[in-house]
Amino acid sequence: MIRVLGHGLLGLVREGRTLLLLTVVGVSLGVGSVVAIQTLNQGALQAFGGSVRAVSGQADLTVLGTVPTIDPALLPRVLADPAVRDAWPLCRLDAALADGSGDLIQIVGFDVFAPVRYPLTRQLDETGSAADPGDLVAAAMAVPGWCAVTPHLAASHGWAVGDTVPVSSGSRLARLVIGALVDFQRYEPLAPVNIAVMDVAQAQALLARPDAIHQIDIVLAGDEDPGTAAARLQRNLGPGVRVLTPEQRAEDAAGLLAAFRLNLTALSLISVFVGLFLVLASVQASLVRRRREFGVLRVLGMQPRQVLVLILAEAGVLGLLGVAIGIPTGFRIALWNVETVSATLTSIYVLEEISRLVLTPTVIIIGTAVGLGGALCGAVLPALDMSRRGVVELLSPLTMHEGARRTAVPLALLAVAAMTAGLLWFVAAGGGNRYAGFILGFVMLIGLPLLVPGVIRAAGAPLRPRGLGWVLSLRNLTIRLRTSSFAVAALAVTISMMVGITLLVGSFRQTLVTWLDVTIRADVYVSTESWIRAGNEAFLDAELLTALGGRPDVQAVETQRRLRVSTADGRHRVWLSGIAFSAVPGVTLASRLPLYAGDPEAVAGRLLASEAVVIGEPLARKAGLGPGDDLVLAGPDGPVSLPIAGVAFDYTSEAGTAFTTLETFGRHFRSDQPNNAALFLQPGADPDAVVAELQRTHRGRPLVFRSNATLRREVLAIFDQTFAVTRTLQTMALFIAACGLALAQLIQVRERAGELALFRALGATRAQISRMFLGEGLAMAGLGLALGLGGGAGLAALLILVINREWFGWTIRPDVPLGALALEVAVILGAALAAGIYPAWKSGLSSPAQLSRDDL
Amino acid sequence: MNGPFPSLVLDRVGMVFPAASGSARTVLDGVDLSLHAGQCLALVGRSGSGKTTLLHLAAGIAVPTSGRVLIDGEDLGGMTENARTRLRRDRIGIVFQFFHLLPHLNVAENVALPGWIDGRPGGGLEKRVGELLDRVGLADRSRDPVGRLSGGEMQRVALCRALLNKPSLLLADEPTGSLDDRTGQVILDLLLEMAEAERCALLLVTHSLTVAARAERIFELHDGRLRQDPGVPS
């Protein structure tokens, strides 16, 4: 058996290098897409975990506020707990480098006398020119702005020890002094690189408030169970804080990213699904090539079971080859995409950026399982089929296709039945199941390939060719149904995915544009360089606001304070905004409320007159809230209950948003200092000219002025960036499908050697044969396109109306982006044409002298 | 074409194949042959004697390593492969021992295949297909799949296909080799009759001297050389 297997594999290498290459490429791309996405997913979580470990590595518990800052009076109460051996405060904030780069760094103010040596501070004891670590500690406290940064961060900005670095938090400017270079990653490999560590008192004084504490880390005494201690501390400290273990914090991040990760994983699995067709086609090709060999082996006494094992073993070797190439390829793809995914994490989810990707054993195991499992799954049907065939059938190539023709209609009926059943189940029972949309999508994606043989047959069989044109090409597909079905099915699934996502993205973008039209109404927006990440505490100072309001070209100023809070039950994170609405002539508040539920006039009236709140649609869906309910938030002094006046469309965060008046906000969340401002200009004032003038006036200050148009452009740029990784997956899937087309046609060149030789004998030129093959490639692409467009429309409906609402909570108005779709169709046809060039050329090489007695 | 030139001329044709051992194997050595329209010539020889090679040269599928092959006076040696292919399409018909019909096309479509390759318009092509099938007695089977035909019927379809483009040279490679004697006889009659009716030259390759006896001239291929009129059974 081993010898026969070895002979078969050697034969594949010798005689079917291109087939082998295409199959392995297909499998490896499938594996690669899964590895890439899993690596990025894990990277996102590890980045957060790395940050937690770097800062709080030896802490058993961490106390975080329900609002960003913690009452400093809580520290003595923490220390008074008998289970707490020690506790120390941290001041954490994000600051922007005021060097024009726009880069942000994480400032960690820590207690240099903290009784632990966790990764962040460990090296401080070993670093610097000072022989005595005590000198370093003294410098950290005595030198104004002293901080330690990573060598990577210093190198990327050209900093050296002793340099002064201007940074900003909100509209405040401060100067940091590079006191030491500390390789935090030496102790915590996943520690963020953009971190700067300084004395807590210095951080408070320079960039926050003198008593601002954002976190208290705790080390427990003895064998106290962290869970028990956390529960007791939570009771003692009250509802204004949350006491968490490091694991709980990591779980928080995992929960935040759940939908993002799940969607990317689902998309990457489609590539695997498409790759599976390649294995099917490849095994089919191998069987075509070796059918006589199997026939002879069967005559010589080989058992059907042995044939089965032989074929599966061959597929397994192909799968392993795909895994061997796919895992490093996937990791490389992850590295290429890390910047865009990282940018999405920071701009949309406000999490750590991914500073380092690691290929973990878990990802390697997943990749291997996907590649090997996919190859075996792809091979099992043809292997079973081949092992059950009689010797006579094995010696006749067309009987296999005749079998495929016979099963075409039953398979199509089965597909229709499965899809109908799936749809009925979804309508009847899918409502309460979050995964129902994915299950229905899976059923549709399984059903689509099953439809393919029937569709090809229906399209080609009634046609009567009158020449070597497209009718004959289409007809030829029905003759070699088994081979053509695989390629068309792979393409149809890929196009479904591509078109589905294009429709989703196009609809989403159009919805976003419409939403921006309603909500972005001011002429100029003012924020700070550190606002993107440090929105909680990047404040605008009062003098600036006064100056802006006093400008003659400014009609009205609206200010906004934004804070990340949680619902009182801890289940939902909410970006809560307090807005100081201004009366702007011609622009009523009601007209600016993009309401999903509620009457605009009534909602605006309640918002201004009472302590009401308007919540975003994602929060309404996820928390099951609506007008008439109360939004109960965890406030610094306990639960804050705000009646919900209305639900607004909102696309700023899938986590949840809510807004109320700045007055109400300040009453419950202590601070009403705004983070940003919106200027409504006098009629006739030119926003771009005002922005230019403001930039001139405030040169050197960490302020960002944007016109309405600029802000829209930036919002849409972030949107496009979010889907960049999706486009990579689409491209990979298309590449796999193109490999499938090329593979199918190469198989046909092999299968139809006799037919092609006959054509040549009858006077067909090489060019005619090549054109016929290109025509068949385009016919396959056309059928795949037709099915894929249908499947894509269904998938888009599912993504837009079901999965998106269920997982992200957004209402997206379906829209058909004709330009993007036309481009996609052109790319698909181009890819199909490109995939067909080599097989077409190869087909033209056939010689009439190759005609033998049993070729046809 | 029935012009002043012979349909087929082999002029001192030689064919040498490189052998695996590195030495050369001479298959044809100075073969001379001339065949005019309306003539029938039989070529006999043992297996491996070079009959198929000679047929390939006559069909323009291969070019000789020495000498010339002329079809209707045109030297194939100076032609590109495409030009030889077009010439084969327009002036040469081939009947194979194993029929080589495409199983997924019906009778009429198989016959029409050279016309499709030629890009001929549908109306005239259909008329010609119908006329040929009528002459071989298969007009009522034109829509049948070829898989339903008997061996003799398949060879009749193959004959129609070979004659579709009104070739000046008809090459028949063991046309009765896959048929029983009686059917073979019928096909042979039909082949000779239609070749004559279409005024084309017929080169009949066979290993059967009985079949060869129906030709006007018989050549035997032996050691790469042609020998005329070997012993013919009565």
Side-chain angles (χ1 to χ4, degrees):
Chain A
M1 273 292 277
I2 298 289
R3 280 188 188 173
V4 179
L5 173 65
H7 165 74
L9 290 168
L10 275 177
L12 198 58
V13 173
R14 272 200 305 265
E15 296 172 32
R17 270 189 217 102
T18 316
L19 298 184
L20 179 71
L21 185 73
L22 284 172
T23 310
V24 171
V25 164
V27 174
S28 63
L29 282 177
V31 170
S33 64
V34 169
V35 167
I37 293 308
Q38 292 308 316
T39 302
L40 287 167
N41 278 347
Q42 293 206 358
L45 298 181
Q46 284 165 343
F48 184 80
S51 172
V52 168
R53 283 192 298 278
V55 177
S56 311
Q58 289 183 12
D60 297 310
L61 297 173
T62 293
V63 180
L64 295 170
T66 53
V67 295
T69 52
I70 299 174
D71 182 355
L74 291 181
L75 183 58
R77 284 165 63 187
V78 170
L79 288 166
D81 189 286
V84 173
R85 192 180 79 200
D86 229 313
W88 57 97
L90 289 168
C91 173
R92 300 189 63 176
L93 43 93
D94 292 282
L97 293 177
D99 58 0
S101 68
D103 291 347
L104 295 165
I105 57 171
Q106 300 180 47
I107 306 278
V108 179
F110 75 101
D111 181 358
V112 293
F113 296 112
V116 287
R117 283 294 173 260
Y118 43 91
L120 204 54
T121 54
R122 212 158 119 196
Q123 202 184 358
L124 286 180
D125 294 345
E126 307 166 9
T127 314
S129 55
D132 179 2
D135 289 350
L136 211 57
V137 172
M141 294 174 65
V143 177
W146 187 99
C147 71
V149 297
T150 62
H152 181 275
L153 183 64
S156 64
H157 289 86
W159 300 336
V161 171
D163 284 358
T164 300
V165 177
V167 297
S168 68
S169 173
S171 55
R172 285 175 75 174
L173 266 175
R175 290 187 177 280
L176 301 184
V177 173
I178 307 299
L181 302 181
V182 182
D183 187 5
F184 303 126
Q185 290 184 323
R186 190 172 144 198
Y187 300 100
E188 171 44 57
L190 296 169
V193 292
N194 64 338
I195 202 163
V197 180
M198 61 195 302
D199 173 54
V200 62
Q202 290 228 43
Q204 289 168 332
L206 289 171
L207 294 161
R209 293 193 311 274
D211 59 351
I213 294 174
H214 299 91
Q215 179 176 330
I216 297 172
D217 279 354
I218 298 169
V219 173
L220 298 175
D223 296 328
E224 176 81 25
D225 170 51
T228 313
R232 187 175 58 250
L233 277 165
Q234 183 71 69
R235 278 196 305 278
N236 292 343
L237 298 177
V241 295
R242 292 190 303 149
V243 184
L244 302 167
T245 60
E247 292 75 26
Q248 283 174 314
R249 294 177 65 196
E251 280 167 20
D252 267 13
L256 272 179
L257 286 174
F260 181 73
R261 289 165 54 216
L262 184 73
N263 277 278
L264 287 183
T265 302
L267 288 181
S268 69
L269 286 176
I270 289 181
S271 293
V272 176
F273 190 55
V274 175
L276 197 133
F277 286 100
L278 253 70
V279 178
L280 267 166
S282 163
V283 171
Q284 182 66 39
S286 167
L287 300 187
V288 166
R289 184 173 59 82
R290 296 168 60 195
R291 65 184 190 278
R292 286 197 184 87
E293 181 188 328
F294 283 122
V296 171
L297 289 172
R298 289 288 306 282
V299 167
L300 294 177
M302 184 178 261
Q303 297 295 313
R305 188 176 52 83
Q306 289 175 302
V307 172
L308 178 74
V309 170
L310 205 62
I311 298 169
L312 288 180
E314 193 174 303
V317 172
L318 288 182
L320 284 177
L321 273 173
V323 166
I325 299 170
I327 289 179
T329 305
F331 187 65
R332 175 61 51 188
I333 291 166
L335 289 174
W336 286 336
N337 283 278
V338 70
E339 264 186 45
T340 52
V341 172
S342 196
T344 301
L345 294 177
T346 52
S347 58
I348 307 284
Y349 295 94
V350 200
L351 285 171
E352 309 298 328
E353 67 180 50
I354 306 171
S355 58
R356 189 176 168 208
L357 284 178
V358 180
L359 186 60
T360 63
T362 314
V363 172
I364 293 174
I365 290 168
I366 291 172
T368 307
V370 160
L372 196 56
L376 291 177
C377 282
V380 75
L381 281 178
L384 275 171
D385 181 46
M386 183 57 66
S387 67
R388 286 170 181 166
R389 281 177 185 273
V391 175
V392 176
E393 275 188 293
L394 288 173
L395 296 174
S396 172
L398 267 178
T399 53
M400 293 191 235
H401 296 284
E402 281 159 10
R405 285 202 290 278
R406 277 197 300 274
T407 54
V409 174
L411 275 179
L413 291 175
L414 179 69
V416 171
M419 288 172 164
T420 310
L423 206 59
L424 290 175
W425 167 81
F426 179 79
V427 171
N433 186 344
R434 281 196 91 189
Y435 293 90
F438 284 106
I439 293 169
L440 182 61
F442 181 72
V443 171
M444 295 295 171
L445 282 182
I446 293 287
L448 193 63
L450 296 179
L451 276 178
V452 168
V455 170
I456 296 179
R457 220 185 132 186
L463 298 174
R464 303 255 50 102
R466 294 281 180 267
L468 295 189
W470 67 272
V471 173
L472 183 65
S473 294
L474 202 54
R475 181 83 184 285
N476 279 339
L477 299 187
T478 68
I479 305 309
R480 311 276 168 176
L481 197 54
R482 183 168 291 203
T483 316
S484 52
S485 291
F486 291 136
V488 173
L491 193 63
V493 170
T494 303
I495 295 172
S496 293
M497 187 261 261
M498 292 178 73
V499 169
I501 290 173
T502 299
L503 286 171
L504 166 73
V505 174
S507 301
F508 200 170
R509 203 174 197 280
Q510 190 52 45
T511 304
L512 190 62
V513 168
T514 309
W515 178 77
L516 289 173
D517 288 343
V518 177
T519 53
I520 308 283
R521 299 286 283 274
D523 301 299
V524 175
Y525 289 85
V526 186
S527 64
T528 60
E529 288 173 351
S530 56
W531 153 254
I532 291 173
R533 274 191 63 85
N536 281 327
E537 292 184 277
F539 300 117
L540 296 176
D541 56 81
E543 295 77 23
L544 172 72
L545 295 172
T546 309
L548 291 174
R551 287 179 63 95
D553 49 10
V554 172
Q555 196 177 26
V557 178
E558 273 190 0
T559 56
Q560 182 207 33
R561 166 82 169 109
R562 196 172 79 146
L563 194 60
R564 191 162 206 180
V565 294
S566 297
T567 51
D569 58 12
R571 290 178 59 201
H572 303 282
R573 298 271 191 96
V574 181
W575 280 111
L576 178 68
S577 294
I579 303 170
F581 295 106
S582 284
V584 185
V587 187
T588 64
L589 177 58
S591 72
R592 292 156 56 196
L593 296 176
L595 287 186
Y596 168 77
D599 170 58
E601 294 293 342
V603 171
R606 281 191 68 195
L607 204 54
L608 296 174
S610 65
E611 283 205 327
V613 69
V614 173
I615 64 171
E617 185 194 4
L619 180 61
R621 286 187 189 281
K622 289 174 183 172
L625 295 170
D629 295 327
D630 284 347
L631 175 66
V632 186
L633 298 170
D637 304 314
V640 175
S641 187
L642 299 169
I644 297 170
V647 177
F649 292 110
D650 184 89
Y651 303 97
T652 53
S653 167
E654 62 156 293
T657 54
F659 63 88
T660 182
T661 61
L662 191 58
E663 191 186 355
T664 304
F665 181 98
R667 200 158 35 244
H668 295 290
F669 294 91
R670 292 183 184 157
S671 170
D672 57 3
Q673 195 176 355
N675 304 114
N676 46 44
L679 311 182
F680 292 85
L681 302 182
Q682 297 288 359
D686 176 11
D688 289 326
V690 172
V691 166
E693 195 193 324
L694 286 169
Q695 283 169 340
R696 268 197 309 279
T697 310
H698 298 279
R699 192 186 304 279
R701 297 197 67 195
L703 299 171
V704 179
F705 301 97
R706 294 179 180 89
S707 68
N708 182 307
T710 306
L711 183 61
R712 281 165 190 254
R713 267 200 306 276
E714 289 183 8
V715 169
L716 291 174
I718 290 174
F719 175 87
D720 293 338
Q721 173 198 57
T722 306
F723 287 96
V725 68
T726 316
R727 290 190 214 300
T728 303
L729 289 176
Q730 284 180 305
T731 308
M732 287 176 75
L734 180 62
F735 199 77
I736 298 173
C739 284
L741 275 183
L743 190 70
Q745 289 207 281
L746 282 173
I747 292 169
Q748 296 225 4
V749 172
R750 191 187 284 273
E751 278 188 324
R752 293 163 61 185
E755 181 186 328
L756 300 182
L758 175 69
F759 270 93
R760 297 279 287 124
L762 296 179
T765 61
R766 290 182 193 281
Q768 279 182 302
I769 301 276
S770 296
R771 276 200 299 274
M772 189 170 74
F773 257 76
L774 272 183
E776 287 176 24
L778 282 177
M780 282 197 275
L783 283 170
L785 195 60
L787 281 165
L789 284 172
L795 190 63
L798 206 56
L799 286 169
I800 291 170
L801 303 174
V802 180
I803 293 175
N804 178 69
R805 282 189 188 172
E806 190 62 53
W807 286 84
F808 295 95
W810 289 312
T811 290
I812 296 173
R813 292 191 176 84
D815 184 73
V816 181
L818 285 176
L821 273 184
L823 181 68
E824 199 151 58
V825 168
V827 168
I828 290 163
L829 289 177
L833 202 61
I837 286 174
Y838 177 68
W841 173 75
K842 192 99 175 159
S843 68
L845 295 183
S846 61
S847 160
Q850 288 169 344
L851 259 185
S852 64
R853 67 177 56 197
D854 54 358
D855 262 334
L856 296 173
Chain B
M1 185 196 284
N2 298 324
F5 300 105
S7 298
L8 172 68
V9 172
L10 302 183
D11 178 19
R12 282 172 292 161
V13 164
M15 192 69 178
V16 181
F17 288 109
S21 60
S23 59
R25 189 168 66 91
T26 301
V27 177
L28 298 177
D29 183 12
V31 170
D32 288 309
L33 184 73
S34 178
L35 185 60
H36 285 81
Q39 283 187 334
C40 174
L41 185 152
L43 184 64
V44 295
R46 291 196 309 271
S47 293
S49 61
K51 299 191 299 289
T52 302
T53 301
L54 193 145
L55 205 67
H56 283 177
L57 292 175
I61 289 170
V63 286
T65 46
S66 62
R68 295 187 305 156
V69 177
L70 295 95
I71 304 288
D72 296 332
E74 289 188 50
D75 186 357
L76 301 189
M79 292 183 182
T80 62
E81 202 213 344
N82 264 354
R84 279 187 280 123
T85 303
R86 279 194 290 272
L87 182 134
R88 183 163 65 244
R89 182 189 68 197
D90 296 340
R91 301 195 207 161
I92 300 171
I94 307 175
V95 178
F96 303 96
Q97 178 183 355
F98 297 100
F99 329 130
H100 289 321
L101 301 178
L102 292 180
H104 50 277
L105 298 182
N106 64 26
V107 167
E109 288 166 347
N110 265 288
V111 175
L113 201 52
W116 292 356
I117 293 170
D118 195 16
R120 284 165 62 180
L125 184 61
E126 278 175 24
K127 189 177 166 207
R128 171 75 175 156
V129 169
E131 178 192 308
L132 286 167
L133 285 175
D134 191 40
R135 280 162 63 185
V136 300
L138 289 174
D140 57 338
R141 309 287 302 272
S142 65
R143 300 285 168 204
D144 282 5
V146 291
R148 287 196 200 150
L149 302 181
S150 67
E153 287 169 333
M154 284 193 192
Q155 197 59 300
R156 281 193 249 173
V157 175
L159 178 57
C160 292
R161 182 180 64 190
L163 292 172
L164 184 91
N165 282 348
K166 299 185 177 170
S168 57
L169 175 63
L170 185 60
L171 304 172
D173 184 8
E174 303 278 11
T176 60
S178 300
L179 305 170
D180 61 68
D181 286 348
R182 194 172 163 190
T183 310
Q185 200 61 43
V186 173
I187 289 297
L188 193 58
D189 290 344
L190 202 52
L191 179 66
L192 293 167
E193 179 194 319
M194 290 186 73
E196 192 180 349
E198 296 279 331
R199 290 292 299 153
C200 58
L202 172 62
L203 177 58
L204 185 62
V205 175
T206 178
H207 62 267
S208 162
L209 289 176
T210 311
V211 171
R214 301 289 303 275
E216 293 163 30
R217 285 186 293 160
I218 304 174
F219 284 87
E220 183 184 15
L221 200 52
H222 186 75
D223 288 338
R225 291 176 174 274
L226 275 186
R227 195 172 67 187
Q228 193 168 5
D229 293 330
V232 179
S234 56

